[in-house]
Amino acid sequence: MTEGSTPAVLRVPGTPLVVVAVHGAALVVAVGGLGWTLRGGVAEPGVALAFGVLVAVGELVRRGGRLREPAPLGAAGALAYALLGEAGGRPTSHGAAQVVAVVAAGVLVGAVPHLARGRGPEPDQVARRILTVAFAAVCFQPLYNTGVLAATAGHGPFHALFLLLLLLLTALCDAVLAALLLHARTRYPYAPLLRDELRALLGIGSAVCATGAVIALAVAVAGLWALPVFCVPLLLTQLAFGRYASVRRTYRQTIASLARSTEVAGYTPAGHAHRVAVLSKAVGRELGLSGEELTVLEYAALMHDIGQLSLVDPVPEGATALLPADEQRRIALLGGAVVRQTGVPAAVAVVVERQADPYREQPLAARIVRAVNAYDDLSGETAQGALRALEHLRLGTARDYHPAVVESLVRVLARGGVAGRVPG
């Protein structure tokens, strides 16, 4: 996933059945591939070793963080081996089972140093890697080894077109799996999650697929010498994307630090802005927001109270939810004016400015921020306080809080416990 596409969320307690099923299927496929390969022997051991090393190196240089594909080099190498029909002009015969075995072994070897540092790969990512590579190998290897592919597509442009089509199907399979796993863990609506995954394919996902196809075609003609030549561009892409992701993280940290100025000045309780931001993103996901809409929502939620810095007398405990409507609107307008001076997108300032308007006049992000802020202001540290806060929100659905937003907040809190407090 791209940076931020797998958000910090309130997760469903325990391991959902769908996740267990996907992990179990990946384990069965990996063990089956390893067992079949050990029983029948390794075909073209030099080629298998080269691609196994490539996958392992890709795992070794993997990046941390919430990225859709933290090990693009390993992913491209795995796809290339799944789509490999020739090496240096000589036909290969390794088959789909050996592809799975080599990729699984490479992932395990490359993950050892990360596991030793306590930062191993996400089980969901490993399961997706195994299953999607198995899908590509099963679709390609039998057709190639039986001669059906050569008889129908030949070795010219139709062969390359077939590889690209298969890579597209494999990428779609991976996106479906990724969205399914996140949906099972969070219970967010599936369609927006899948939309995010499909959008991510236009970024690093397209580079991985293209590099996988190019490596397979290049090794077929030039042999294993093509591996280091065609891996360098992807390594440079990974480095550039890592720097971009680092800039995005720094930008968000700057906004979070600015948002904490109200806490440092004693205007709002510690952790309030963070709690509102996390809960707002969860509610936004629940209501179908995705991509940049969630980014705007998060930034606005972090900075929603910044207008209080312009007040002479602080609001008691920073709780604006019980203030008169005119005072709430004045603080919101002051906050929007401050936000416009920070360089963040204008849409963030609009949400901050309109968070105190009647909900029928608000954009969806402003409705969410208002409801979640009121909940955090009023809930306190007990379950009883949380219930009172939700009662206040429901009583205010005639004018102040949108009913659909309140019910979405209730569902999010129910998945994280009755109180649903997010640590500050």
Side-chain angles (χ1 to χ4, degrees), residues 96-341:
Q98 182 169 310
V99 170
V100 173
V102 168
V103 171
V107 169
L108 290 175
V109 171
V112 168
H114 297 292
L115 290 171
R117 295 195 296 268
R119 297 183 299 177
E122 290 278 345
D124 287 359
Q125 292 171 347
V126 175
R128 283 166 42 204
R129 174 73 52 79
I130 296 297
L131 292 176
T132 52
V133 167
F135 172 82
V138 167
C139 290
F140 178 83
Q141 292 297 327
L143 292 178
Y144 177 82
N145 291 333
T146 58
V148 173
L149 183 59
T152 55
H155 298 279
F158 289 106
H159 180 80
L161 183 62
F162 174 78
L163 291 185
L164 291 175
L165 178 61
L166 183 53
L167 281 170
L168 176 61
L169 292 175
T170 303
L172 290 175
C173 175
D174 185 41
V176 168
L177 277 177
L180 180 65
L181 289 168
L182 189 55
H183 168 70
R185 290 190 180 280
T186 64
R187 294 293 186 267
Y188 292 149
Y190 181 76
L193 296 176
L194 180 59
R195 187 166 62 244
D196 276 354
E197 295 296 329
L198 294 176
R199 285 175 178 168
L201 294 179
L202 300 177
I204 194 68
S206 61
V208 169
C209 290
T211 304
V214 169
I215 289 176
L217 294 172
V219 171
V221 176
L224 297 178
W225 291 107
L227 288 180
V229 174
F230 287 94
C231 288
V232 170
L234 188 58
L235 279 174
L236 294 176
T237 301
Q238 180 179 350
L239 177 62
F241 186 78
R243 292 178 67 88
Y244 169 75
S246 178
V247 170
R248 287 283 300 264
R249 286 194 299 272
T250 302
Y251 184 57
R252 187 196 176 282
Q253 289 166 359
T254 301
I255 291 176
S257 298
L258 181 61
R260 288 191 68 248
S261 59
T262 58
E263 301 172 15
V264 174
Y267 282 82
T268 57
H272 171 71
H274 172 75
R275 291 192 298 271
V276 172
V278 173
L279 270 178
S280 293
K281 286 192 72 176
V283 174
R285 284 276 185 183
E286 182 78 19
L287 291 171
L289 298 184
S290 61
E292 289 303 314
E293 295 171 321
L294 281 175
T295 300
V296 169
L297 174 60
E298 179 187 18
Y299 290 171
L302 284 170
M303 305 178 75
H304 74 280
D305 267 335
I306 203 165
Q308 293 197 43
L309 293 175
S310 302
L311 301 178
V312 176
D313 298 317
V315 177
E317 299 183 357
T320 58
L322 298 179
L323 291 177
D326 290 343
E327 184 65 10
Q328 290 187 39
R329 192 169 294 110
R330 185 174 77 88
I331 294 174
L333 291 174
L334 290 171
V338 173
V339 172
R340 291 184 185 278
Q341 305 301 315

